[in-house]
Amino acid sequence: MNSFESRINLNIPLSSLSEVVSEIYGLGKFKENKIIEIGYEDFNYILSTTKGKYIVKVFSTIRTDKDTINLTNRAVSAFENGISCPKLYKNIGGGNYLSFIEISGVKYRLIVMDYIEGNDFYTLDSKPNDKELITIAKELAKLNNIDYRPPLIYDKWAIINFKEEYNKNISLVSKDDKILIDKVYEKFNQIDLTKLKYGFVHGDIIVTNIIKEAKSGKLYFIDFSVSNYLPRIVDIAVSICDLCLDFNEKEALGRMKIFLNAYQHISPLSEYEKECLNIFLATHQAITVLETTREKIEENNDSKENEDFLKKGQVGLRFVFNHLTQK
């Protein structure tokens, strides 16, 4: 498994970086830190100070400075438009959310936000209940309606990039997976993306990116690293696949209905979006299998998280294809 520290070329004790972060953001005196060992690409950790707890997101070295600015602006857009997400902090010197810090020859690009005392649904090993599904769907619709069109950032995991990732990675998957992924590829190629409604999409509203506050039960969206201006059906499909489908057909379809009804209470879908939804659901599962397989083989990623998502994608691909795309 790749070292989390290697993602940012960390060559000093994390505590040394934390002391600097605490000072330039006015967070009080540093007490301790803890790495968050889930997620891909960036380096996230919990910073505890005399004033409280915070999340520090240090952007991966694979991202350019321009990327980090774009990614920060995405999170700021959601935060300043009232989406339920952790509060972002500005640094003291320049009054900016994003900071560039150089220590021992390494430049760190980072943002700081509130730590929510609670857990994501992946850590809780549970799915949102019906009431929570309604809250998530309505919040997602509000997000998709924000008038914000950031520069496109390519995301290997995005449904919209399925064709490119299929051509690069289809040779890596198992024979059984390939049979279904090939069928999804054929169906996806028939969709006219220009007929879909576009909006500001999070791109990854899944169990790892929704925090449930322990005391209040309030839900927060986190990690806008793959947000883009894309067909909003991308967000709907990703969320349904991960939050609604439990592979029991009757219950899964019921949860989908709850989610879609809540979303459409804020922002109704077009008839063409409804026609395409099942194909987008299948495509999300297909690209999940492609990318987790690539991570496992090419990146030597043997983490529990990657293995869980690979298995989930494989089971989900069969469920969605057999129970939804054939109807």
Side-chain angles (χ1 to χ4, degrees), residues 185-292:
Y185 183 80
E186 181 181 353
K187 288 179 176 290
F188 185 75
N189 280 335
Q190 297 171 10
I191 293 175
D192 183 354
L193 297 176
T194 65
K195 293 172 64 176
L196 298 169
K197 181 176 179 180
Y198 280 59
F200 180 44
V201 304
H202 179 284
D204 205 22
I205 294 297
I206 61 175
V207 290
T208 54
N209 288 331
I210 306 172
I211 300 291
K212 182 176 181 177
E213 192 170 32
K215 289 185 178 180
S216 68
K218 184 177 179 180
L219 304 179
Y220 296 83
F221 289 174
I222 61 170
D223 197 353
F224 287 80
S225 296
V226 296
S227 58
N228 270 308
Y229 183 71
L230 294 173
R232 62 179 182 170
I233 197 173
V234 167
D235 256 353
I236 297 168
V238 170
S239 301
I240 286 176
C241 280
D242 201 72
L243 306 177
C244 300
L245 303 187
D246 57 4
F247 318 125
N248 173 294
E249 182 178 9
K250 183 177 180 180
E251 185 171 345
L253 295 178
R255 287 171 65 79
M256 280 181 59
K257 184 176 181 180
I258 289 171
F259 186 93
L260 287 171
N261 284 345
Y263 185 99
Q264 292 190 96
H265 182 76
I266 303 295
S267 187
L269 300 183
S270 70
E271 289 304 313
Y272 190 65
E273 286 176 313
K274 294 175 184 177
E275 289 175 22
C276 296
L277 179 57
N278 288 344
I279 303 304
F280 270 77
L281 295 174
T283 304
H284 172 66
Q285 303 289 24
I287 203 165
T288 296
V289 173
L290 282 175
E291 295 306 321
T292 49

Side-chain angles (χ1 to χ4, degrees), residues 170 179 241:
I170 191 61
I179 291 172
C241 280

